[in-house]
């Protein structure tokens, strides 16, 4: 290679790097600005939760006195009861809903039975109705079963889990991409259908399982409207969102604002942790199901 | 039901007089009840029920579950499902009609009603009644608003003048917080200040039957000019939160519930006063306000003894003794007359300011739920208006919306006749007698030449003459006396022309223009 050629190549190379660097810088600047905008509210809440010089809303962000008072004060309210309620509800819903969804998806993906297509269509159509629509009648049913007010938690569990089979699309789409010959091979080796699901399909579907668990966990964790309706002012039956909302009434907010922030931080914690550790699978799960389904 | 409870009560009282210790006959050993009170008085209420258990003369015992449910939420919950609601609950008076319609309030029998009527102030009594029947126990009489200000910014001598206050705030670059743009509750203050009214009347079931609203009137226009002064100031803040003092406010208009908070933020610089006056065309108008009560209700039920027992408890919880405890612990302004006379209550700065505002305040009667949304936009429209016509347009829009609500309002007076083609469902405003602030109704109309230049004043939608010929006192010479030939009490003009007709509540005055 002659010197001229080498120089030319080097120049080209430098030009490429430079332009890439410029575009990268621009992208990073935009992303940084956006993430700052998105993060400001969260940072504010965290900072407010450590402010101890006053309990109401103030015109500055950085606390003048730092402390754990707001977190300590939470124990003096029913907060931990609501938190436990929500946590139990979310865990149980996540477990039950995942089992139901996976079984449903596997069935619809692998079995061929009469009315399979119409059933899938029916569930799709039913899923299109807004859930709010059923709220009043569900309340009536639950009230007659005695599953409201102080028994709200089992009542809510029933509601959250009951229709979960209808959320099969994403995981069925994923199962459809796994070759059927794997099932057949396992069947030839003597595995029954259940074993095929547990030993062959599920280990290959980690992203989708985790995606299902996460979405199932998030539903009850953030529910407010239905949970509020069902608990009807009974502290023992409130979830954390409903309980904390009452601190925001006009005569309460002055006393409870910083405590509310502390509660908010604690509510965000488990979800944040879950996402941090499972983020990789979550993204995979969403894209897999969506593209190949 | 009511009679049955009366009977039981009479019986119980007889027995109680004879009983020495133990439970009065008929009552169960103890009753499990759910009591809904706001968070801040939860513990106090538990103590008070305990005291009731130990001291009541009938030996009634309650085993209460006390839940913290704020007043507004309690009303919502009760309406959603009365059966699952609290047995005894607190609510603000504006929810009264709604609760009554949902059948969530048990009627007070005479014994209780008489005591409520004797011991509480007039406004709270009015709030607890629908028609002539009591359905609730007054709990407080402090649901109004007044002015909190920062003494380090606002000089004492300026607190009576809206214009001076706005100037002070602008000079100090500090906010004047008055929630005019997002809350009808605060907005109405200016209108009440100029003598406008918005009175809604319910029947015994809590259904709205009439409205008399004079916001769209010359007086209303004056109020709009007052509002304009404040909302057009760059230092107006539409907020009613005492913590606005932390965000650069020098004045906040809010209620007694924010007193402790304001005190904590401003310390010795906290000043409280009644609302200021504003000046339009050389006339001064003191800004008015709503005043209201919080009430305690008892849920209806079938067990008469249990109901009677709960009424005894509700009565105790709203008694002189319990209201005083709530004042001492949480600063709640009592509705009880004896409590109001105590020095401690009289000297409370917040309650004193509320009292100073009292002559200018209007009892918050039953108000149609849609009114809050309709009136709310007035201040926004005023802010956008560039001239007097704009202000008038804001008020016209308001009245149109009210009319939509009660298109064929059966209190409106429509003068039907040849001039509007005898249309008794006329929705245009042309032939309605317009209500004025002084309670009179006025209409100016052109009577065209025709064979029968007559008509009658009816309630829209009806053909029955509401008022007519027989009620004309002044101007009788302008109309024809048809004698027996006028069974419908019609007013028949002798000549065509332009007439002004005024109804003052008792008689018509007819003037030819």
């Amino acid at each position: 290679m002659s010197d001229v050629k080498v120089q030319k190549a080097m120049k080209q190379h430098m030009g490429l790097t430079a332009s890439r660097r410029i575009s990268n810088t621009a992208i990073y600047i935009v992303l940084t600005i956006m993430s700052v905008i998105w993060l400001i509210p969260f940072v504010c809440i965290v900072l407010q939760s450590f402010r101890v010089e006053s309990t109401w809303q103030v015109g500055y962000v950085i606390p003048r006195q730092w402390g754990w008072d707001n977190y300590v004060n939470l124990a003096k309210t029913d907060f931990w009861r609501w938190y436990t309620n929500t946590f139990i509800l979310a865990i149980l819903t996540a477990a039950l809903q995942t089992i139901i969804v996976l079984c449903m998806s596997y069935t619809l993906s692998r079995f061929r039975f009469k009315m399979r297509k119409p059933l899938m269509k029916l569930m799709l159509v039913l899923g299109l109705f807004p859930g709010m629509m059923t709220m009043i009648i569900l309340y009536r049913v639950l009230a007659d079963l005695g599953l409201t007010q102080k028994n709200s938690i089992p009542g809510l569990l029933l509601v959250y889990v009951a229709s979960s089979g209808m959320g099969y699309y994403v995981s069925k789409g994923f199962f459809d991409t796994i070759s059927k010959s794997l099932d057949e091979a396992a069947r030839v080796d003597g595995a029954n259908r259940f074993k095929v699901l547990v030993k062959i399909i599920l280990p290959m579907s980690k992203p989708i399982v985790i995606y299902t668990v996460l979405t199932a966990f998030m539903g009850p964790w953030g529910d407010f409207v239905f949970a509020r309706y069902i608990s009807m002012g009974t502290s023992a039956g409130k979830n954390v969102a409903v309980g904390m909302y009452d601190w925001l009434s006009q005569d309460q907010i002055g006393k409870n604002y910083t405590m509310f922030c502390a509660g908010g931080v604690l509510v965000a914690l488990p979800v944040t942790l879950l996402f941090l550790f499972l983020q990789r699978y979550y993204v995979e799960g969403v894209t897999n199901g969506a593209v190949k389904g | 039901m009511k009679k049955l409870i009366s009977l039981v009560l009479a019986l119980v009282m007889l027995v109680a007089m004879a009983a020495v210790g133990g439970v009065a006959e008929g009552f169960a050993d103890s009753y499990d009840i759910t009591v809904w009170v706001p968070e801040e008085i939860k513990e106090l209420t538990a103590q008070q029920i305990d005291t009731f258990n130990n001291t009541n003369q009938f030996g009634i015992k309650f085993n209460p579950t006390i839940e913290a449910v704020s007043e507004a939420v309690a009303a919502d919950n009760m309406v959603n499902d009365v059966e699952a609601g609290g047995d005894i609950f607190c609510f603000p008076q504006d929810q009264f009609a709604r609760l009554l319609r949902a059948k969530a309030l048990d009627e007070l029998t005479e014994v209780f009603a008489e005591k409520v009527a004797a011991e509480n102030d007039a406004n709270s009594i009015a709030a607890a009644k629908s028609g002539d029947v009591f359905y609730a126990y007054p709990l407080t009489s402090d649901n109004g608003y007044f002015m909190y200000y920062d003494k380090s910014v606002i000089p004492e001598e300026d607190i009576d003048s809206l214009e001076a206050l706005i100037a002070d705030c602008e000079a100090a670059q500090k906010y004047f917080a008055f929630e005019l743009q997002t809350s009808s509750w605060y907005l109405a203050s200016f209108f009440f200040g100029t003598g406008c009214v918005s009175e809604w009347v319910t029947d015994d079931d809590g259904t709205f039957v009439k409205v008399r609203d004079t916001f769209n009137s010359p007086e209303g226009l004056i109020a709009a000019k007052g509002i304009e002064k404040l909302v057009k100031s760059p230092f107006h803040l539409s907020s009613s939160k005492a913590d606005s003092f932390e965000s650069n406010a020098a004045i906040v208009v809010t209620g007694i519930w924010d007193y402790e908070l304001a005190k904590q933020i401003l310390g010795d610089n906290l000043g409280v006063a009644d609302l200021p006056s504003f000046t339009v065309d050389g006339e001064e108008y003191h800004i008015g306000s709503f005043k209201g009560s919080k009430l305690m209700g008892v849920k209806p039920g079938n067990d008469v003894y249990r109901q009677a027992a709960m009424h005894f408890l509700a009565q105790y919880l709203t008694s002189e003794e319990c209201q005083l405890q709530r004042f001492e612990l949480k600063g709640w302004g009592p509705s009880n007359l004896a409590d109001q006379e105590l020095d401690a209550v009289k000297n409370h700065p917040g309650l004193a300011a509320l009292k100073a505002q009292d002559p200018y305040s209007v009892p918050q009667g039953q108000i149609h739920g849609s009114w809050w949304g309709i009136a709310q936009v007035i201040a926004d429209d005023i802010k956008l208006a560039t001239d007097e016509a704009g202000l008038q347009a804001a008020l016209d829009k308001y009245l149109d919306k009210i009319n939509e609500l009660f298109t064929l309002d059966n209190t409106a007076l429509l003068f039907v006749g040849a001039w509007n083609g005898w249309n008794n469902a006329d929705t245009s405003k042309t032939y309605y007698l317009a209500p004025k602030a002084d309670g009179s109704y006025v209409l100016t109309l052109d009577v065209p030449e025709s064979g029968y230049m007559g008509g009658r004043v009816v309630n829209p939608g009806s053909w029955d003459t509401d008022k007519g010929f027989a009620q004309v006192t002044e101007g009788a010479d302008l109309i024809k006396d048809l004698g027996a030939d006028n069974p419908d009490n019609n007013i028949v003009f002798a000549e065509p022309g332009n007439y002004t007709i005024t109804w003052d509540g008792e008689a018509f005055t007819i003037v030819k223009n």
Side-chain angles (χ1 to χ4, degrees):
Chain A
M1 200 186 279
S2 71
D3 282 355
V4 182
K5 269 188 180 169
V6 170
Q7 271 176 0
K8 223 179 186 177
M10 276 177 72
K11 250 185 199 165
Q12 257 179 359
H13 180 67
M14 273 169 68
L16 258 179
T17 329
S19 71
R20 185 175 293 160
R21 205 171 277 161
I22 290 168
S23 70
N24 272 356
T25 317
I27 287 169
Y28 276 113
I29 287 174
V30 171
L31 286 179
T32 313
I33 292 173
M34 282 165 83
S35 60
V36 166
I37 293 172
W38 277 325
L39 282 173
I40 280 176
F42 298 101
V43 173
C44 284
I45 287 183
V46 173
L47 288 175
Q48 302 290 294
S49 74
F50 288 106
R51 173 158 57 85
V52 295
E53 77 270 17
S54 55
T55 56
W56 49 88
Q57 277 173 290
V58 291
Y60 51 88
V61 177
I62 313 283
R64 291 180 186 153
Q65 275 176 311
W66 296 70
W68 293 95
D69 293 16
N70 297 316
Y71 291 89
V72 175
N73 286 341
L74 284 175
K76 293 177 192 156
T77 66
D78 276 348
F79 178 80
W80 288 111
R81 173 190 246 174
W82 303 330
Y83 200 86
T84 320
N85 278 350
T86 317
F87 203 75
I88 292 173
L89 201 51
I91 295 273
L92 286 179
T93 309
L96 291 173
Q97 196 164 323
T98 308
I99 293 171
I100 294 174
V101 166
L102 292 177
C103 290
M104 186 81 180
S105 313
Y106 179 71
T107 312
L108 290 174
S109 168
R110 290 299 193 263
F111 289 69
R112 291 292 175 270
F113 49 91
K114 248 189 198 169
M115 299 293 283
R116 173 176 160 273
K117 279 269 162 75
L119 181 68
M120 284 165 65
K121 277 180 194 151
L122 178 73
M123 286 193 285
L124 182 75
V125 172
L126 284 181
L128 291 177
F129 288 101
M132 287 291 167
M133 213 177 65
T134 58
M135 203 162 82
I136 293 171
I137 191 72
L138 272 181
Y139 174 80
R140 216 43 270 167
V141 172
L142 289 177
D144 291 346
L145 289 171
L147 292 178
T148 52
Q149 297 193 307
K150 62 180 190 295
N151 296 327
S152 302
I153 302 306
L156 282 172
L157 183 67
L158 188 64
V159 174
Y160 294 145
V161 174
S163 63
S164 50
M166 298 205 304
Y168 64 87
Y169 319 102
V170 180
S171 28
K172 179 194 170 277
F174 188 86
F175 290 163
D176 284 344
T177 64
I178 299 173
S179 170
K180 265 194 183 176
S181 42
L182 283 172
D183 292 41
E184 283 154 11
R187 297 278 284 161
V188 169
D189 285 344
N192 60 17
R193 292 282 197 180
F194 183 69
K195 245 187 185 157
V196 174
L197 172 65
V198 176
K199 298 258 160 143
I200 310 289
I201 307 289
L202 288 189
M204 296 177 68
S205 323
K206 238 188 227 160
I208 216 69
V209 174
I210 285 168
Y211 164 79
T212 314
V213 172
L214 274 180
T215 44
F217 187 86
M218 287 298 293
W221 195 255
D223 187 32
F224 175 77
V225 179
F226 201 64
R228 181 164 191 218
Y229 202 33
I230 297 239
S231 65
M232 271 281 280
T234 310
S235 188
K238 285 178 184 172
N239 74 4
V240 75
V242 176
M244 280 171 58
Y245 180 75
D246 290 342
W247 296 346
L248 296 183
S249 69
Q250 195 173 29
D251 50 342
Q252 293 288 308
I253 189 167
K255 270 169 272 173
N256 294 333
Y257 179 71
T258 48
M259 190 166 76
F260 179 85
C261 293
V265 171
L266 291 177
V267 170
L269 216 56
V271 185
T272 316
L273 289 176
L274 265 180
F275 267 80
L276 275 183
F277 290 114
L278 302 175
Q279 184 196 28
R280 188 164 53 95
Y281 297 105
Y282 184 74
V283 175
E284 251 176 69
V286 177
T287 46
N288 265 330
V291 176
K292 294 175 188 169
Chain B
M1 187 69 195
K2 189 187 166 193
K3 278 196 180 138
L4 209 58
I5 296 187
S6 288
L7 208 73
V8 168
L9 281 176
L11 211 77
V12 161
M13 292 201 158
L14 274 177
V15 175
M17 280 179 224
V20 187
V23 184
E25 202 176 332
F27 288 119
D29 288 341
S30 80
Y31 291 105
D32 291 333
I33 56 165
T34 310
V35 181
W36 285 355
V37 293
E39 173 79 44
E40 55 176 343
I41 60 161
K42 197 175 153 188
E43 274 170 43
L44 179 63
T45 308
Q47 291 164 18
Q48 288 174 337
I49 296 180
D50 213 35
T51 312
F52 176 83
N53 278 344
N54 296 328
T55 56
N56 79 85
Q57 53 178 323
F58 312 110
I60 302 169
K61 292 269 182 283
F62 285 107
N63 179 21
T65 309
I66 301 173
E67 293 285 354
V69 183
S70 74
E71 290 100 341
V73 175
D76 282 345
N77 284 346
M78 289 305 295
V79 173
N80 285 348
D81 187 357
V82 176
E83 210 180 307
D87 293 305
I88 293 178
F89 56 97
C90 308
F91 61 96
Q93 76 171 90
D94 59 288
Q95 299 292 325
F96 181 83
R98 224 176 132 212
L99 287 166
L100 201 56
R101 273 201 304 277
K103 304 212 183 315
L105 293 171
D106 198 22
E107 196 176 319
L108 272 64
T109 52
E110 254 164 62
V111 194
F112 298 113
E114 274 169 17
K115 214 163 145 60
V116 167
E119 290 181 356
N120 294 286
D121 63 21
N123 293 317
S124 62
I125 291 172
K129 280 200 293 195
S130 183
D132 287 325
V133 186
F134 278 94
Y135 286 97
Y137 296 86
L139 187 64
T140 72
S141 212
D142 62 0
N143 220 10
Y145 42 89
F146 50 93
M147 185 171 79
Y148 292 78
Y149 62 98
D150 186 341
K151 281 184 187 164
S152 65
V153 180
I154 308 291
E156 195 84 31
E157 64 269 20
D158 285 350
I159 58 170
D160 287 328
S161 160
L162 181 75
E163 291 80 7
L165 290 172
I166 295 174
D168 288 338
C169 285
E170 286 178 357
Q173 306 250 312
K174 293 222 167 207
Y175 286 108
F176 188 145
F178 198 156
E179 195 175 352
L180 297 172
Q181 276 159 287
T182 33
S183 167
S184 305
W185 200 57
Y186 292 98
L187 173 85
S189 60
F190 280 78
F191 290 93
F192 294 153
T194 59
C196 298
V197 294
S198 184
E199 290 169 0
W200 301 77
V201 182
T202 55
D203 61 12
D204 284 354
D205 297 328
T207 309
F208 287 95
V209 290
K210 307 184 193 178
V211 58
R212 194 163 78 87
D213 188 290
T214 59
F215 279 25
N216 187 10
S217 61
E219 292 80 10
L221 192 60
I222 295 170
K225 286 175 182 166
I227 293 172
E228 188 184 19
K229 289 186 184 189
L230 185 51
V231 291
K232 286 197 174 164
S233 162
F235 286 93
H236 168 247
L237 179 71
S238 187
S239 160
S240 60
K241 286 186 179 156
D243 54 21
S244 304
F245 282 122
E246 289 274 13
S247 349
N248 204 27
I251 300 173
V252 177
V253 175
T254 177
I256 191 80
W257 51 88
D258 268 341
Y259 186 79
E260 288 306 317
L261 181 56
K263 188 90 199 154
Q264 283 179 50
I265 297 175
L266 291 181
D268 290 340
N269 276 332
L270 173 68
V272 288
D274 55 323
L275 296 170
S277 302
F278 62 97
T279 310
V280 172
D281 300 331
E283 283 272 347
E284 248 190 30
Y285 302 89
H286 193 287
I287 301 178
S289 64
F290 267 123
K291 63 178 164 191
S293 292
K294 288 177 185 168
L295 305 165
M296 186 177 268
V298 174
K299 186 174 80 171
N302 292 325
D303 179 346
V304 282
Y305 282 98
R306 188 169 186 271
Q307 291 304 114
M310 289 198 298
H311 277 284
F312 278 117
L313 177 62
Q315 186 181 55
Y316 173 73
L317 290 176
T318 53
S319 65
E320 181 184 343
E321 179 187 345
C322 290
Q323 288 202 17
L324 184 61
Q325 289 170 356
R326 257 175 246 121
F327 164 75
E328 284 168 347
L329 205 69
K330 296 291 170 190
W332 288 25
S335 65
N336 185 286
L337 290 169
D339 283 338
Q340 287 180 355
E341 289 308 310
L342 296 172
D343 284 343
V345 176
K346 278 185 177 165
N347 294 337
H348 185 280
L351 291 179
L354 208 53
K355 189 129 190 139
Q357 177 66 25
D358 194 61
Y360 311 101
S361 65
V362 175
Q364 186 178 344
Q366 312 311 332
I367 291 172
H368 196 284
S370 305
W371 181 80
W372 303 102
I374 294 175
Q376 195 178 312
V377 297
I378 295 181
D380 282 329
D381 289 342
I382 289 175
K383 193 171 182 179
L384 294 173
T386 48
D387 53 10
E388 197 170 315
L391 299 181
Q392 185 57 50
L395 299 177
D396 286 343
K397 185 170 138 193
Y398 164 81
L399 189 67
D400 285 345
K401 293 247 181 76
I402 296 273
N403 280 336
E404 272 171 33
L405 209 60
F406 274 79
T407 310
L408 298 179
D409 164 17
N410 58 6
T411 62
L413 298 176
L414 172 64
F415 198 17
V416 293
W419 40 84
N420 80 336
W422 289 93
N423 175 10
N424 75 341
D426 195 341
T427 51
S428 71
K429 277 181 287 180
T430 323
Y431 299 103
Y432 280 89
L433 275 75
K436 297 289 166 211
D438 63 359
S440 66
Y441 292 77
V442 181
L443 169 67
T444 301
L445 86 164
D446 276 318
V447 178
E449 171 88 57
S450 73
Y452 184 80
M453 292 178 288
R456 62 177 74 162
V457 175
V458 298
N459 297 139
S462 157
W463 284 119
D464 298 332
T465 308
D466 196 64
K467 312 162 174 53
F469 173 78
Q471 282 76 35
V472 177
T473 51
E474 283 174 53
D477 52 321
L478 297 169
I479 57 174
K480 288 184 189 167
D481 185 353
L482 299 174
D485 203 18
N486 190 11
D488 290 327
N489 199 13
N490 284 359
I491 295 174
V492 183
F493 294 95
E495 288 172 13
N498 184 273
Y499 294 90
T500 298
I501 299 165
T502 310
W503 169 254
D504 65 3
E506 284 169 8
F508 278 115
T509 306
I510 298 178
V511 179
K512 188 167 186 192
N513 300 316

